[in-house]
Structures are given as C-alpha cells and as structure tokens.
Amino acid sequence: MSEQRIQSQDISVADVFQSFYVVPDYQREYVWEEAEVEQLLNDIYGELGGAEGGKAPEYFIGSIVVCPQEKGLLELIDGQQRMTTLFLTLCAIRDHAKALKKAPPGSLGSQIAATSTDESGQDVDRYRLDLQYEDSGDILQRIAQGTPTPKKGPGTLSVVNILKAYEVVRRFLKVSFGEDDVAARRFYGYLTNKVKLIRIQAEDVAKALKIFETINDRGVGLNAMDLLKNLLFMKASRQDFEALKTTWKELQDTLFAIGEKPLRFLRYFIFSRYEVDTLREDEIYVWLSKNEKLCGYATKPVAFAKELLSAAKAYRSFFEGKDSNGNKSNYLENMQLLGGKAARQHLILLLAGRDLEPVLFDRLCREVENLFFCYVVTREPTRDFERNFALWAREIRAARSEQELNVFFQNRFEKAKADLAVRFRDAMERLTTYSLQAYRTRYVLGKLTQSVELAAYGETEGSRWLSRFTGKGFDIEHVFPQSPSDKAKEEFGEHNDPGVAQRLGNLLLVEESINSSLGNRAFSEKKSVYPQSQLLMTRAIAARPSVGVNTKIDAAVREFDPYEEWHEATVERRQRELAALACRVWSVPVGSAHG
C-alpha cells in the first residue's frame, strides 16, 4: 500500500488558475455578500498602493484544499467562496477592459477557460472553475461567457449572490480606475502575480476533508495577535493568568462582533497610540518585540491587555455609530453610513482622539466625516489616506484644547480639502449611481436632502439623524425614469448621455408611498406629485414652497428654481447646483471643475 502524501504549495493566483477546479454538489452554496467581496478587493488594492507592481509586497489571502478527480480536475474541498470570487474578478477585469474598448490582458483568457486533453486524447473546452451544486444553475458559465444574465424567473440565493459579487467587482474597477486602462491592468498584474494562496492537495476526498476539518478547528499557524497573546502570558505571573485569559477572550469577542480582523485592529491601535505611520501586518510582532519598554507589556501585561480591550470597545462603538460610552452620535452614524461594512481607516483618527472632551471629540468626528468623504468621492488611493491618518494621529493625541485642535484642522484637514477642491467639484458634477456603491449613493442624497431640511427648520430630533433620510422610509426616485414610458421619452427628448437617468442631477429622495405612484411616468405627470413630499428639496423641484418671503424655509430653497420641463440640459444644470451645495455640505472650498 503506497503512502498517502499531502502536497502544499505557495502559489500565485496566476498559477492557481492554470488548473481546473470543480466545486462538488455536496458543498454549500456561494454565500459571500457585498461586504466580503469589497473587503477582499480593498485589501488587495490597499497592499498594492502606489507602488509599481514589481515593487509591491506579496499578499497572502488564505488557503484552499483540493484533491484530484478524474479527467485532470481538482475537487475543491475548502476555499470555494474565495476561489469563486477570484474567478468572478478575472471575468470582471476582462469585461471592464472590453467596456473601455481595450484588449484584455493576454493571459486572462486562459485563466478563465482553456482546452485540456483527457485520458483518451480528446480535447475538452473547460472553464477553470465549475460549480456542480444545483443552486448555482449556469450563472457562473454565463458570466465566464460574457453574458451575465440569469434565466428568467426568481434566482436562487447562490445565483443572486454570484451576480451581486460580479457587479461589486465591476463597480470596484470603475470606481477605482475609471477609464484608466493602464491602472486597471496594473491591478490585474498585481492580483495574478503577487497575491498568493497556499494550495493543499490530498490524495483523496476523505483525507482532504480531514485537512479541512483540522484547518478550521485549529487554524493555520500563529499570527501576530496569537504571538502577542503568548508573549503577554510569558511576561505575566501565574496569579495573573486568569485575569489575562478573561481580558483576552473579551477582546477577541469584541472584535468578532463586528467582523474585524484582529491584525488590522492591532495595526490601527499602534498607529493611534504610538508614533508609527507605516507598518505592515507582517511587521507587527517584530515592532512589538523591539518596543517592549514603550508599550509596557513586559512589566504590566494585564494592564496592556486591558488597554487593548478598552481601545477595541471604543473601536466597536465608533464602527457602530456610537461614542465610547455607547451613546448614539450623529456624526459617527454618518461615518457608519458612509463607510459601510468594509471601510475602517477613519477609525485610526477616532481612536487617537477618544480621550478628547466630548464637545471636541464631536468636532473631530464631523471633520473626519467631511475629509473621509472627500477622499472617497475623489478616489484617493486607500493606502495614501490611511498613511495620512496614521501620520496625523500623533497630532490629535497631542491636542487638548479647542485652539490646538483648530490649528490641527487648519494645517491638515483644510489643506487636504483645498488640494482636492477641484477634483471634488468635478467628481460631484460627474457623479452617477455607477460612481459609488449603492449605500454611498444613498448617503450622498441623504446628506444633501438633510442639509436643506436643517437650513430651513434647524436641528430637530427628526432632521438630526441621517438614517432618517437613508432608511427604508424613502426611495431613490429617477426623475427621468430608468425604463421610461413613451411619453416620458418624448418629453425628455434626444440626449447624448445614455446613462443620463443615473446622474445625480436626475435623482431625488421621495417617500416610498409617493414613489409607488410615480413609476415610469413623464415629468409633466410627476410635477403634481412631488409637492406632496415632506422633503423640501423634493417639493422644490416642481414648485416653490409657499412660505412667505425671506423666511428660513424660503432661503433654504432659494437657489433651487422649480423646473417647467425635464431634459438633459436640466439634469446637467441641477447636477451643477447640487455640486455647489455639496461643497458647502462637506465644507470643501469652492473649486471650479471647469477652470
């Protein structure tokens, strides 16, 4: 009887997709949602940063477990969520290039599909990944073929998730690179050559499943967080073991509750607490080892663990839209709505300022939100502004008075926004629903709408919370419908931009009950419905609110003249008006996008 061998390879994405994989029908369906897909893409893009592909560091994204099948196939026992997402990413990169009328990278086609020769010498055309569980239907093949349209009828959860994941990647490419084909190809080159997995291959399914069980039960080695835990126990006296164990478990539970990667938290904690502005995850333990006296964990290991726990609790509260005492905060809620489930770089600054007096911390939150949105909408590379936040954290820690904080804001935030002013105005004048993730589009519309309400009525319990405008009570209304009626088409007339319906200037927030009556009707038919809305910005598009002259309400909508007709020039005009409003809402100097 021959010895069963386990093969383990450190392998690039390019090499991974030189083999053919099948996900067997006993596997669970594809369950990754938008947040997980975004997280993977942002993590990879963040590692690439501004470096040239050849100089960027390698990035490890996990392991997969396989065993050989007949016909030269590898059965994927563990890692199908990640592998499916990578395969969808390759398809999306190909389709992004085609949309720009550019040739996809030469090696890409064979990473999606290729011809293999079976044992009988017959050539077989295959996709590199084949989902065999029934719930997936044929959606992956359709996407691989370049026709990502499911069969008619309600799709399964897997089909919905796979389609959504593909759309998330397409949007990521568009938002991150726009029409810059060179930058997109650079990302592809980094993804396929520098992003690594460990592929573990067993002789048969039973052995592969045992490996899968071992990995998931016991983990795959110690990371910096595990090593730090061991280090603290080494430094602690035996009588402190119980306190240390309890504190560490609470720390892990706190991070797990928000789906946070312990290493990212530890890295952000170091940025917020010490004078460190560049540190990779794989450098964390070495840094800690060299800075024992600075951190104080050698003499007071339990106290250091409790400091980590305190920071983690604040980190969790900030992420959930609350202050460090667990109280709701409108600016922190705004950042939650802006950041979604994936973006957390701004938490570096909030951790650094968590000991500020409440009024000053509230001011910090407002300023961080404004700058963070500027970075997001102008597509500033994540690595660049993360580095800024790490660098500025020490200055926030040093600020104790309002005057010191004002000096910091003037030197850092105001200068950064001034540098971005022209790009910000240009981005807002071009903004469409394709420019941002859906939740960020709702954030933008919500903030603009809320600003008019605040100007008219002042801050009330209703107008104070952005979630009132971004929540389920309101829908996004396309004034010129996405699927217009014949009358709507005729009224709107000829237009040069085929995506004009998705432009910010064509969008409104409107109550769900009202939106259901608007449908795909023409503007002349909608004009009598908009004034029924409680939102001033929505009412003002069709008729000026009759509230007297020189009142706060009149002043709030004075710059928004009602429209008699709705066509492409109208959309462009309204978008310019909203871009000007956006500069005031996010406190950005007025930069001309045309000069």
Side-chain angles (χ1 to χ4, degrees), residues 109-130:
S110 64
Q111 292 167 350
I112 295 172
T115 301
S116 66
T117 304
D118 63 20
E119 293 89 339
S120 64
Q122 298 298 310
D123 288 343
V124 181
D125 293 327
R126 292 185 175 128
Y127 294 111
R128 294 292 183 183
L129 184 63
D130 178 21

Side-chain angles (χ1 to χ4, degrees), residues 66-75 201-205 208:
V66 299
C67 66
Q69 259 195 8
E70 296 178 351
K71 301 179 181 178
L73 303 176
L74 293 176
E75 189 168 329
Q201 182 171 328
E203 291 292 329
D204 56 35
V205 173

Side-chain angles (χ1 to χ4, degrees), residues 56-232:
E58 291 185 340
Y59 185 56
F60 175 65
I61 60 171
S63 61
I64 61 174
V65 179
V66 299
C67 66
Q69 259 195 8
E70 296 178 351
K71 301 179 181 178
L73 303 176
L74 293 176
E75 189 168 329
L76 192 57
I77 304 299
D78 185 32
Q80 76 120 327
Q81 307 294 322
R82 191 178 299 108
M83 284 286 287
T84 303
T85 306
L86 288 172
F87 186 78
L88 291 170
T89 300
L90 295 176
C91 295
I93 290 171
R94 175 201 63 196
D95 297 340
H96 178 76
K98 289 181 178 178
L100 298 179
K101 295 182 169 45
K102 302 288 186 180
S107 59
L108 185 51
S110 64
Q111 292 167 350
I112 295 172
T115 301
S116 66
T117 304
D118 63 20
E119 293 89 339
S120 64
Q122 298 298 310
D123 288 343
V124 181
D125 293 327
R126 292 185 175 128
Y127 294 111
R128 294 292 183 183
L129 184 63
D130 178 21
L131 306 182
Q132 294 187 337
Y133 53 90
E134 186 176 350
D135 275 1
S136 66
D138 65 348
I139 190 60
L140 196 65
Q141 296 97 303
R142 287 173 175 266
I143 292 173
Q145 292 165 359
T147 54
T149 306
K151 293 178 180 177
K152 292 183 178 179
T156 65
L157 182 61
S158 284
V159 170
V160 170
N161 285 340
I162 289 170
L163 269 175
K164 189 182 295 185
Y166 170 77
E167 290 163 1
V168 167
V169 184
R170 288 296 304 274
R171 185 175 62 227
F172 165 82
L173 295 169
K174 184 162 186 170
V175 169
S176 301
F177 309 119
E179 297 185 3
D180 188 347
D181 180 57
V182 173
R185 291 176 73 96
R186 176 171 158 266
F187 175 76
Y188 164 76
Y190 178 73
L191 169 70
T192 54
N193 292 291
K194 287 296 193 75
V195 174
K196 296 290 192 73
L197 301 96
I198 292 177
R199 185 172 69 186
I200 303 169
Q201 182 171 328
E203 291 292 329
D204 56 35
V205 173
K207 191 69 173 178
L209 287 170
K210 184 64 178 176
I211 295 170
F212 165 67
E213 179 184 21
T214 302
I215 289 173
N216 284 274
D217 280 351
R218 304 174 198 166
V220 284
L222 300 178
N223 59 34
M225 201 73 173
D226 301 317
L227 293 169
L228 174 59
K229 175 186 175 183
N230 290 349
L231 184 61
L232 294 181

Side-chain angles (χ1 to χ4, degrees), residues 24 57 62 118 174 415 439 447 493 567 586:
D118 63 20
K174 184 162 186 170
K415 182 180 184 304
Y439 65 87
K447 283 281 287 188
H567 39 70
W586 283 281

Side-chain angles (χ1 to χ4, degrees), residues 537-556:
M537 181 179 283
T538 302
R539 286 154 52 193
I541 200 168
R544 183 172 296 282
S546 180
V547 290
V549 180
N550 295 328
T551 65
K552 285 187 176 181
I553 298 175
D554 177 65

